[in-house]
Amino acid sequence: MKSTESETTEKVKNIPIKKIDGINLPYLEIEMYNGTFCDLNNQPRSTKVLYVCYMHGKHEVYSLKETSTCQYEVIVLSPLLCGHPRYKPQDSGENIINCYSLGGGTKKPRSLLEMNIDSYKYRHKKPESETHVRVEIHPIDVFGDQERTTTPPPETPADTSPVESFLSGKNCLHGGSGWWKYEFCYGKSVEQYHVERDGSKTSINLGRFDRSKHLNWIEKYPQKRPKPLAQRKQLSHFYSSGTVCDKTGKPRQTVVKLKCLENSSNLGAVSLYLLEPKYCEYVLGVESPLICEILSRADENGLVEASDTSPVRDGINEEDVFDTNKVITT
């Protein structure tokens, strides 16, 4: 019995740990080989998939990064792994620290006691004289001698819908957990950036939205058109004319896939992922229950109109407004 317990303890010690957001979490690793042949090292690509115990996870991809040339690491947050006793998160190891005075001294530091006394005196001090402040509000006579009216001018209600704010390009989505982060503003652009410690920002444009180029792309690839409404689960948009790629000599481009996420417990959740299947050609996935609301509003080219604006606009010459949403990123 003792040998069995020692073997179990030794196995628990050998379980690998991954630090995510400052927390050590146990994980289960699965390695996948024989991927697409890599031109850089003349070897097939491989990926290590780390299933991490996270009680609040929804089996989403937390990060996807290239650890070395054509070798990748994917972290998946899964609550199912937490059901196994060997993969439960470790205790934080925090200990209570009790302080005691030495040599019969006071229980509290002398400076703290003096501060408490001064605070008590100040709170119970009677004011020598009361101070009164008189505030008068006078309306501004904007009508002159004309008859005034008490009817307030009609106000246009602000659109607080997250869907309409997203479609208008006002609310941009942010993703990425590694060196590179990325930002997606609907109908405007896809940016990849890195912020240095000194606050300086390195930015690479992965594509800008241009309506005419999107229509040309949809004509060239008709399979990207929206499916019939009963079968429609996603919309595809083409963002082009990004920063010129050093390896191909061509501007970067991104296909944005807006996917309807059904049966989600959090209606406001947004999941992002960015893939690069070819050099400087990207696929940005945006998955959310909010996307389900706009599928029926798409035209034959996949474009969606905001309720109070014209169809999706070219965002190249418009002023960017960045209101970061709370999103689940991958």
Side-chain angles (χ1 to χ4, degrees):
M1 183 67 179
K2 291 183 179 179
S3 61
T4 303
E5 291 179 355
S6 62
E7 290 177 1
T8 303
T9 305
E10 187 66 26
K11 289 181 179 179
V12 172
K13 290 182 179 179
N14 294 333
I15 293 178
I17 300 295
K18 189 75 173 179
K19 177 169 283 190
I20 298 178
D21 292 338
I23 304 175
N24 292 326
L25 299 175
Y27 67 87
L28 177 67
E29 179 180 312
I30 297 178
E31 193 160 0
M32 300 183 178
Y33 303 94
N34 299 325
T36 304
F37 193 79
C38 179
D39 298 334
L40 299 178
N41 59 10
N42 297 322
Q43 294 180 2
R45 288 174 167 83
S46 63
T47 300
K48 291 183 179 180
V49 182
L50 309 184
Y51 290 93
V52 177
C53 161
Y54 185 61
M55 293 300 298
H56 305 289
K58 298 180 181 178
H59 316 291
E60 69 268 21
V61 176
Y62 175 79
S63 66
L64 189 157
K65 60 183 179 180
E66 188 175 6
T67 55
S68 60
T69 304
C70 296
Q71 294 184 0
Y72 307 90
E73 179 188 83
V74 179
I75 297 179
V76 181
L77 305 180
S78 174
L80 298 179
L81 195 61
C82 304
H84 196 287
R86 293 172 55 188
Y87 289 92
K88 288 184 178 180
Q90 296 179 347
D91 294 333
S92 61
E94 296 179 354
N95 298 314
I96 299 175
I97 299 177
N98 296 317
C99 298
Y100 300 95
S101 60
L102 296 177
T106 58
K107 293 183 178 180
K108 294 182 179 181
R110 191 178 303 277
S111 59
L112 178 60
L113 291 174
E114 293 176 353
M115 185 176 65
N116 291 339
I117 294 173
D118 292 339
S119 176
Y120 178 83
K121 290 180 179 178
Y122 179 79
R123 285 186 283 110
H124 292 80
K125 182 180 180 181
K126 294 183 179 181
E128 297 178 358
S129 60
E130 296 183 357
T131 303
H132 298 275
V133 178
R134 182 178 181 181
V135 179
E136 296 183 356
I137 301 177
H138 300 277
I140 300 176
D141 188 0
V142 297
F143 294 98
D145 296 333
Q146 299 179 6
E147 182 180 357
R148 292 190 178 94
T149 175
T150 58
T151 304
E155 296 182 358
T156 303
D159 183 12
T160 58
S161 168
V163 175
E164 301 305 329
S165 298
F166 169 70
L167 292 177
S168 64
K170 294 181 179 180
N171 283 0
C172 299
L173 306 180
H174 296 258
S177 57
W179 176 269
W180 288 107
K181 305 292 191 299
Y182 45 93
E183 177 185 66
F184 169 56
C185 299
Y186 180 87
K188 292 185 177 181
S189 65
V190 181
E191 294 279 344
Q192 189 177 48
Y193 65 92
H194 171 71
V195 180
E196 302 289 349
R197 292 184 177 180
D198 60 1
S200 61
K201 184 177 180 181
T202 303
S203 182
I204 299 175
N205 190 286
L206 305 186
R208 301 178 177 87
F209 185 80
D210 185 294
R211 182 184 178 87
S212 61
K213 291 183 179 180
H214 169 80
L215 295 178
N216 292 335
W217 175 77
I218 211 78
E219 286 292 335
K220 185 177 180 180
Y221 302 100
Q223 69 274 16
K224 300 295 184 181
R225 293 184 182 276
K227 293 184 178 181
L229 188 57
Q231 307 172 9
R232 191 176 302 171
K233 299 296 181 182
Q234 71 175 37
L235 301 173
S236 296
H237 294 160
F238 183 61
Y239 287 65
S240 57
S241 302
T243 304
V244 175
C245 178
D246 297 335
K247 295 182 178 179
T248 64
K250 299 178 180 179
R252 288 172 167 83
Q253 62 184 41
T254 300
V255 176
V256 177
K257 295 184 177 181
L258 305 176
K259 298 184 179 181
C260 167
L261 186 61
E262 299 178 327
N263 303 322
S264 174
S265 58
N266 186 357
L267 298 180
V270 181
S271 178
L272 301 177
Y273 63 86
L274 183 68
L275 305 177
E276 187 179 5
K278 296 181 180 180
Y279 286 132
C280 300
E281 295 185 11
Y282 307 88
V283 175
L284 175 65
V286 181
E287 299 180 351
S288 173
L290 299 176
I291 303 299
C292 305
E293 301 181 24
I294 69 175
L295 292 179
S296 60
R297 296 165 54 179
D299 61 16
E300 60 180 3
N301 298 310
L303 302 181
V304 183
E305 298 181 17
S307 62
D308 56 349
T309 62
S310 55
V312 177
R313 303 177 302 275
D314 298 353
I316 300 175
N317 298 320
E318 294 190 12
E319 182 180 359
D320 292 338
V321 181
F322 299 106
D323 292 331
T324 305
N325 289 353
K326 182 179 181 181
V327 299
I328 301 173
T329 61
T330 63

